[in-house]
Amino acid sequence: MRNFRFGVNLVPTAGPRQWSQSCRTAESLGYDVIAVPDHLGVQSPFLAMVAAAAATERVRLTTYVLNSAFWNPVLLARDLLSAHELTEGRVEAGLGTGYVRAEFEKAGLDWGTAGSRVGRLAETAAALRELLADPRALGFSRPSQPIQPGQPGRPTQSPPLLIGGNGDRVLRLAARHADIVSFAGAVLAAGSARGTLQLIDAEALDERVAFFADEAGPRAAELERNILVQTVAVTEDRRAAAQTMRRRIPYLTADQILEVPTLLIGTPAQIAECVLARRERYGISYVCVQERDMAAFAPVIELLRQLDAKK
């Protein structure tokens, strides 16, 4: 089993002082990764990552995830490599299909079909993999020795590539091209233009993980596995909290809510046990939470770090 990594999905909408403070807070709470989204209405993910690096010392920075329809692959590679150099090698590249129809329409892009969106992701991932593997075509080069955080110089390693989604074709792409696979743990609600997601239950994720592992073959053991937890609910009464959540997740029972991989409910110790059990069950060692849950999840990070240290 891999040691845990923990990320927090921060949305860069405020001014520079508040953004810098949010990033420093995430680092001080023990998070390994600051993840930034790629949506219209929030600041550019690459500018946000460079600003986050300037405010912090060690955390890595990832796009979580880029809407591949928004980006020309060559220009995307240039921006990723530029951010990677400006942050001294702290950038990770996350890619997805995009799922908010209203954003496609606002950007003047064809929403198309699920198949066409996955096709665009496939083209972007393949091109990006090639360009990141040999960035000399874009005017980038590498030094002979790796650099340490805080040491001036150019990074020797390309940004690792994360591909996120839930469907067969996206997981197949991740099996072929990714360094990190991110299991969405959700599906797009039928007819939603605003990107409304419906969570899948634990058994459905079992099937998705098994599908991915079968597609990846021997690579499956090499790839890091990630998930975004949608809600962390710290409570002494797990059952009551699950019943309350049913008001906004009526398509799941209380028992399913307690087991859903994208929800964490209970005391910090109980949540830590859940995260450990899900690493054992799904192989997921890289866990991201939403910004609103950053402080609530921090005690869980401390508990799990202690357990990993004893392995």
Side-chain angles (χ1 to χ4, degrees), residues 88-131:
E88 297 182 340
R90 290 158 65 184
V91 163
E92 301 180 2
L95 282 179
T97 60
Y99 63 95
V100 183
R101 182 170 185 164
E103 291 186 345
F104 279 71
E105 293 170 350
K106 189 171 184 179
L109 299 170
D110 181 24
W111 173 244
T113 64
S116 66
R117 293 191 295 278
V118 174
R120 178 60 185 265
L121 173 60
E123 294 171 2
T124 302
L128 194 60
R129 190 50 129 175
E130 182 176 344
L131 289 163

Side-chain angles (χ1 to χ4, degrees), residues 1-3 276 279-285 308 311:
M1 287 291 175
R2 288 176 178 262
N3 282 350
L276 281 168
R279 181 173 65 173
E280 182 71 27
R281 180 171 178 175
Y282 304 112
I284 294 173
S285 58
D308 263 349
K311 286 199 313 181

Side-chain angles (χ1 to χ4, degrees), residues 176-192:
R176 185 178 306 123
H177 292 293
D179 302 295
I180 306 164
V181 56
S182 181
F183 294 98
V187 296
L188 183 64
S192 173

Side-chain angles (χ1 to χ4, degrees), residues 47-68:
L47 296 177
M49 288 194 297
V50 171
T56 57
E57 296 180 0
R58 62 164 185 82
V59 288
R60 296 185 66 80
L61 310 150
T62 189
T63 55
Y64 199 65
V65 290
L66 293 176
N67 180 341
S68 58

Side-chain angles (χ1 to χ4, degrees), residues 78-94:
R78 179 200 63 181
D79 286 1
L80 275 168
L81 288 165
S82 297
H84 199 50
E85 287 198 353
L86 291 170
T87 63
E88 297 182 340
R90 290 158 65 184
V91 163
E92 301 180 2

